Amino acid sequence: MLYQPKWSKAKKRLMSFMCESLHSRVDFQVINYRKAHDQLGRAVITVDKVEMLNMCTITAEKEEYYRERDIRIQLDDFTYDNVFNNRAIQEQAQEQLKTEGIYAQYDFFSALEEYFNSPIELSLKSNDMLIKILCMLDRRVGKRTLRKMKEFILEESTFVKDFYKLRCEAENIHSSQ
């Protein structure tokens, strides 16, 4: 529960980075399930009160389990006593989830931490989809930078493209996506 006691401060800081054109349309929420064993729940990014990205810990961990199982089937590796192999399989499963946009609440907090502690230029080049989404909403990313991104945005995930398009529309930039 990284941000549980200080989520309100983190949210205030996050909203301070929000571009003016989307400030009233985009919101971030953290919902904790008190009765869950780890009290983690989900983090949500909404646009016009519609969920755009739901980062549910239970869903992500369930999917990670299934991915690990599928990888073990592919590798025909059912030995669980090799810590190195177990970690490699887990990392491979986590990478698959991230490319598909399946995140847990703690992934959101990790991305937030990195985003807060990195210059915007570095965050824009991040491999983490969540950090790139936060950059698309950031007031420090201006119209000139958004226009320059037009050719590279085609290589990004659907979620990043959607937030890029949202930002371009809000700034009256024709993204033609």
Coordinates of all heavy atoms in Angstrom, one line a residue, residues 32-77:
N32 N -9.3 1.1 -2.6 CA -8.7 0.0 -1.9 C -9.8 -0.8 -1.3 O -10.8 -0.4 -0.8 CB -7.8 0.6 -0.7 CG -6.5 1.2 -1.2 OD1 -5.9 0.7 -2.2 ND2 -6.2 2.3 -0.7
Y33 N -9.5 -2.1 -1.4 CA -10.5 -3.1 -0.8 C -10.0 -3.5 0.6 O -9.0 -4.3 0.7 CB -10.6 -4.3 -1.7 CG -11.0 -4.0 -3.2 CD1 -10.3 -4.5 -4.3 CD2 -12.1 -3.1 -3.4 CE1 -10.7 -4.2 -5.6 CE2 -12.4 -2.8 -4.7 CZ -11.8 -3.4 -5.8 OH -12.1 -3.1 -7.0
R34 N -10.6 -3.0 1.6 CA -10.2 -3.2 3.0 C -10.2 -4.7 3.3 O -9.4 -5.1 4.2 CB -11.1 -2.4 3.9 CG -10.8 -0.9 3.9 CD -11.6 -0.1 4.9 NE -13.0 -0.2 4.5 CZ -14.0 -0.4 5.3 NH1 -13.8 -0.7 6.6 NH2 -15.2 -0.5 4.9
K35 N -11.1 -5.4 2.8 CA -11.2 -6.8 3.1 C -10.3 -7.8 2.3 O -10.2 -8.9 2.6 CB -12.6 -7.3 3.1 CG -13.5 -6.6 4.1 CD -14.9 -7.1 4.2 CE -15.7 -6.4 5.3 NZ -17.0 -6.9 5.4
A36 N -9.6 -7.2 1.4 CA -8.6 -8.0 0.6 C -7.4 -8.3 1.5 O -7.1 -7.5 2.4 CB -8.2 -7.3 -0.7
H37 N -6.8 -9.4 1.2 CA -5.7 -9.8 2.1 C -4.6 -8.8 2.2 O -3.9 -8.6 3.2 CB -5.1 -11.2 1.7 CG -4.3 -11.2 0.4 ND1 -5.0 -11.1 -0.8 CD2 -3.0 -11.2 0.2 CE1 -4.0 -11.0 -1.7 NE2 -2.9 -11.1 -1.2
D38 N -4.3 -8.1 1.0 CA -3.3 -7.0 1.0 C -3.8 -5.6 1.0 O -3.1 -4.7 0.9 CB -2.4 -7.2 -0.2 CG -3.2 -7.3 -1.5 OD1 -4.4 -7.0 -1.5 OD2 -2.5 -7.6 -2.5
Q39 N -5.1 -5.5 1.1 CA -5.9 -4.2 1.1 C -5.6 -3.4 -0.2 O -5.9 -2.2 -0.2 CB -5.6 -3.4 2.3 CG -6.1 -4.1 3.6 CD -6.0 -3.2 4.8 OE1 -5.2 -2.3 4.8 NE2 -6.7 -3.6 5.8
L40 N -5.1 -4.0 -1.2 CA -4.9 -3.3 -2.5 C -6.2 -3.5 -3.3 O -7.0 -4.4 -3.1 CB -3.8 -3.9 -3.3 CG -2.4 -3.5 -2.7 CD1 -1.3 -4.2 -3.5 CD2 -2.2 -2.0 -2.8
G41 N -6.5 -2.6 -4.2 CA -7.7 -2.7 -5.0 C -7.3 -2.3 -6.4 O -6.7 -3.1 -7.1
R42 N -7.7 -1.1 -6.8 CA -7.5 -0.7 -8.2 C -7.2 0.8 -8.3 O -7.6 1.5 -7.4 CB -8.6 -1.2 -9.1 CG -9.9 -0.6 -8.7 CD -11.1 -1.4 -9.5 NE -12.3 -0.7 -9.2 CZ -13.0 0.0 -10.1 NH1 -12.6 0.1 -11.3 NH2 -14.2 0.5 -9.7
A43 N -6.6 1.1 -9.4 CA -6.4 2.5 -9.7 C -7.1 2.7 -11.0 O -7.1 1.8 -11.9 CB -4.9 2.9 -9.8
V44 N -7.7 3.9 -11.2 CA -8.5 4.1 -12.4 C -8.2 5.5 -13.0 O -8.1 6.5 -12.2 CB -10.0 4.0 -12.0 CG1 -10.9 4.3 -13.3 CG2 -10.4 2.7 -11.4
I45 N -8.1 5.6 -14.3 CA -8.0 6.8 -15.0 C -9.3 7.0 -15.7 O -9.7 6.2 -16.5 CB -6.8 6.9 -16.0 CG1 -5.5 6.6 -15.2 CG2 -6.8 8.3 -16.7 CD1 -4.3 6.6 -16.2
T46 N -10.0 8.1 -15.4 CA -11.3 8.4 -16.1 C -11.2 9.6 -17.0 O -10.4 10.6 -16.6 CB -12.4 8.6 -15.1 OG1 -12.2 9.7 -14.3 CG2 -12.7 7.3 -14.3
V47 N -11.9 9.6 -18.1 CA -12.0 10.8 -18.9 C -13.5 11.1 -19.1 O -14.3 10.2 -19.5 CB -11.4 10.6 -20.3 CG1 -11.6 11.8 -21.2 CG2 -9.9 10.3 -20.2
D48 N -14.0 12.2 -18.7 CA -15.4 12.6 -18.7 C -16.2 11.6 -17.9 O -17.3 11.1 -18.4 CB -15.9 12.7 -20.1 CG -15.2 13.8 -20.9 OD1 -14.8 14.8 -20.3 OD2 -15.0 13.6 -22.1
K49 N -15.6 11.1 -16.8 CA -16.3 10.2 -15.9 C -16.4 8.8 -16.4 O -17.2 7.9 -15.9 CB -17.6 10.7 -15.3 CG -17.5 12.0 -14.5 CD -18.7 12.4 -13.9 CE -18.7 13.6 -13.0 NZ -17.7 14.5 -13.0
V50 N -15.7 8.5 -17.5 CA -15.7 7.1 -18.1 C -14.4 6.5 -17.9 O -13.4 7.1 -18.2 CB -16.0 7.2 -19.7 CG1 -15.9 5.9 -20.3 CG2 -17.4 7.8 -19.9
E51 N -14.4 5.3 -17.4 CA -13.1 4.6 -17.2 C -12.4 4.3 -18.5 O -12.9 3.7 -19.3 CB -13.3 3.2 -16.5 CG -13.6 3.4 -15.0 CD -13.6 2.0 -14.3 OE1 -13.2 1.0 -14.9 OE2 -14.1 2.0 -13.1
M52 N -11.1 4.8 -18.5 CA -10.3 4.6 -19.7 C -9.3 3.5 -19.4 O -8.9 2.7 -20.3 CB -9.6 5.9 -20.1 CG -10.5 7.0 -20.6 SD -11.3 6.6 -22.1 CE -10.0 6.8 -23.3
L53 N -8.8 3.5 -18.2 CA -7.8 2.5 -17.8 C -8.1 2.0 -16.4 O -8.2 2.9 -15.5 CB -6.4 3.0 -17.9 CG -5.3 2.1 -17.8 CD1 -5.4 0.9 -18.8 CD2 -4.0 2.8 -18.0
N54 N -8.3 0.7 -16.2 CA -8.6 0.2 -14.9 C -7.5 -0.7 -14.5 O -7.2 -1.7 -15.1 CB -9.9 -0.6 -14.9 CG -10.3 -1.2 -13.6 OD1 -9.6 -1.2 -12.6 ND2 -11.5 -1.9 -13.6
M55 N -6.7 -0.4 -13.4 CA -5.6 -1.1 -13.0 C -5.9 -1.9 -11.7 O -5.7 -1.4 -10.6 CB -4.4 -0.2 -12.8 CG -4.0 0.5 -14.1 SD -3.1 2.0 -13.9 CE -4.5 3.1 -13.7
C56 N -6.5 -3.1 -11.9 CA -7.0 -3.9 -10.8 C -6.0 -4.9 -10.4 O -5.6 -5.7 -11.2 CB -8.3 -4.5 -11.2 SG -9.0 -5.5 -9.9
T57 N -5.6 -4.9 -9.1 CA -4.6 -5.8 -8.6 C -5.1 -7.3 -8.8 O -4.3 -8.1 -9.2 CB -4.3 -5.5 -7.2 OG1 -3.8 -4.1 -7.1 CG2 -3.2 -6.4 -6.6
I58 N -6.3 -7.5 -8.4 CA -6.8 -8.9 -8.4 C -6.8 -9.5 -9.9 O -6.3 -10.6 -10.1 CB -8.2 -9.0 -7.8 CG1 -8.1 -8.7 -6.3 CG2 -8.8 -10.4 -8.1 CD1 -9.5 -8.4 -5.7
T59 N -7.2 -8.7 -10.8 CA -7.3 -9.1 -12.2 C -5.8 -9.3 -12.7 O -5.6 -10.3 -13.4 CB -8.0 -8.0 -13.1 OG1 -9.3 -7.8 -12.6 CG2 -8.0 -8.4 -14.5
A60 N -4.9 -8.4 -12.4 CA -3.5 -8.5 -12.9 C -2.8 -9.7 -12.3 O -2.2 -10.4 -13.1 CB -2.8 -7.2 -12.6
E61 N -3.0 -10.0 -11.1 CA -2.4 -11.1 -10.5 C -2.9 -12.4 -11.0 O -2.2 -13.4 -11.2 CB -2.4 -11.0 -8.9 CG -1.5 -9.9 -8.4 CD -1.5 -9.8 -6.9 OE1 -2.4 -10.4 -6.2 OE2 -0.6 -9.1 -6.4
K62 N -4.2 -12.5 -11.2 CA -4.9 -13.7 -11.8 C -4.3 -13.9 -13.2 O -3.9 -15.0 -13.5 CB -6.4 -13.5 -11.8 CG -7.1 -14.7 -12.3 CD -8.6 -14.5 -12.3 CE -9.0 -13.5 -13.4 NZ -10.4 -13.3 -13.6
E63 N -4.3 -12.9 -14.0 CA -3.7 -13.0 -15.4 C -2.3 -13.4 -15.4 O -1.8 -14.2 -16.2 CB -3.9 -11.7 -16.1 CG -5.4 -11.4 -16.6 CD -5.9 -12.5 -17.5 OE1 -5.2 -12.9 -18.4 OE2 -7.1 -12.9 -17.3
E64 N -1.5 -12.8 -14.4 CA -0.1 -13.2 -14.3 C 0.1 -14.7 -14.0 O 0.9 -15.3 -14.6 CB 0.6 -12.4 -13.2 CG 2.1 -12.6 -13.1 CD 2.8 -11.8 -12.0 OE1 2.3 -10.6 -11.8 OE2 3.7 -12.3 -11.4
Y65 N -0.7 -15.2 -13.2 CA -0.7 -16.6 -12.9 C -1.0 -17.5 -14.1 O -0.2 -18.4 -14.4 CB -1.8 -17.0 -11.8 CG -2.0 -18.5 -11.6 CD1 -1.1 -19.2 -10.9 CD2 -3.1 -19.1 -12.2 CE1 -1.3 -20.6 -10.8 CE2 -3.3 -20.5 -12.1 CZ -2.4 -21.2 -11.4 OH -2.6 -22.6 -11.3
Y66 N -2.0 -17.1 -14.9 CA -2.3 -17.8 -16.1 C -1.2 -17.7 -17.1 O -0.9 -18.7 -17.8 CB -3.6 -17.4 -16.7 CG -4.8 -17.7 -15.9 CD1 -5.8 -16.8 -15.6 CD2 -5.0 -19.0 -15.4 CE1 -6.9 -17.1 -14.9 CE2 -6.1 -19.4 -14.7 CZ -7.1 -18.4 -14.4 OH -8.2 -18.7 -13.7
R67 N -0.6 -16.5 -17.3 CA 0.5 -16.4 -18.2 C 1.7 -17.2 -17.8 O 2.4 -17.8 -18.7 CB 1.0 -14.9 -18.3 CG -0.1 -13.9 -18.7 CD -0.7 -14.3 -20.1 NE -2.0 -13.8 -20.2 CZ -2.3 -12.6 -20.7 NH1 -1.3 -11.8 -21.2 NH2 -3.5 -12.2 -20.8
E68 N 2.1 -17.2 -16.5 CA 3.2 -18.1 -16.0 C 2.9 -19.5 -16.4 O 3.8 -20.2 -16.8 CB 3.4 -17.9 -14.5 CG 4.0 -16.6 -14.2 CD 4.2 -16.4 -12.7 OE1 4.4 -17.4 -12.0 OE2 4.3 -15.3 -12.2
R69 N 1.7 -20.0 -16.1 CA 1.3 -21.3 -16.4 C 1.5 -21.6 -17.9 O 2.1 -22.7 -18.3 CB -0.1 -21.6 -16.0 CG -0.6 -23.1 -16.2 CD -2.1 -23.2 -16.2 NE -2.6 -22.4 -17.3 CZ -3.9 -22.1 -17.4 NH1 -4.7 -22.5 -16.5 NH2 -4.3 -21.4 -18.4
D70 N 1.0 -20.7 -18.8 CA 1.2 -20.9 -20.2 C 2.6 -21.0 -20.7 O 3.0 -21.8 -21.5 CB 0.4 -19.8 -21.0 CG -1.1 -19.9 -20.8 OD1 -1.6 -20.9 -20.3 OD2 -1.8 -18.9 -21.1
I71 N 3.4 -20.1 -20.1 CA 4.9 -20.1 -20.4 C 5.5 -21.4 -20.0 O 6.3 -22.0 -20.7 CB 5.6 -18.9 -19.7 CG1 5.1 -17.6 -20.3 CG2 7.1 -19.0 -19.8 CD1 5.4 -16.3 -19.5
R72 N 5.1 -21.9 -18.8 CA 5.7 -23.2 -18.3 C 5.3 -24.3 -19.3 O 6.0 -25.2 -19.5 CB 5.2 -23.5 -16.9 CG 5.9 -22.7 -15.9 CD 5.6 -23.1 -14.5 NE 6.1 -22.2 -13.5 CZ 7.4 -22.2 -13.1 NH1 8.2 -23.0 -13.6 NH2 7.8 -21.3 -12.2
I73 N 4.0 -24.3 -19.8 CA 3.6 -25.3 -20.7 C 4.4 -25.2 -22.0 O 4.8 -26.3 -22.5 CB 2.0 -25.2 -21.0 CG1 1.2 -25.5 -19.7 CG2 1.6 -26.0 -22.2 CD1 -0.2 -25.2 -19.8
Q74 N 4.6 -24.0 -22.5 CA 5.4 -23.9 -23.7 C 6.8 -24.4 -23.5 O 7.4 -25.0 -24.4 CB 5.5 -22.4 -24.1 CG 4.3 -21.9 -24.8 CD 4.5 -20.4 -25.2 OE1 5.2 -19.6 -24.5 NE2 3.9 -20.0 -26.4
L75 N 7.4 -24.1 -22.4 CA 8.8 -24.5 -22.1 C 8.9 -25.9 -21.6 O 10.0 -26.4 -21.5 CB 9.4 -23.6 -21.1 CG 9.5 -22.1 -21.4 CD1 10.0 -21.3 -20.2 CD2 10.5 -21.9 -22.6
D76 N 7.8 -26.5 -21.3 CA 7.7 -27.8 -20.7 C 8.6 -27.9 -19.4 O 9.4 -28.8 -19.2 CB 8.2 -28.9 -21.7 CG 7.7 -30.3 -21.2 OD1 6.7 -30.4 -20.5 OD2 8.5 -31.3 -21.6
D77 N 8.4 -26.8 -18.6 CA 9.2 -26.6 -17.4 C 8.3 -26.6 -16.2 O 7.7 -25.5 -15.9 CB 10.1 -25.4 -17.5 CG 10.9 -25.1 -16.2 OD1 10.9 -26.0 -15.3 OD2 11.5 -24.0 -16.2

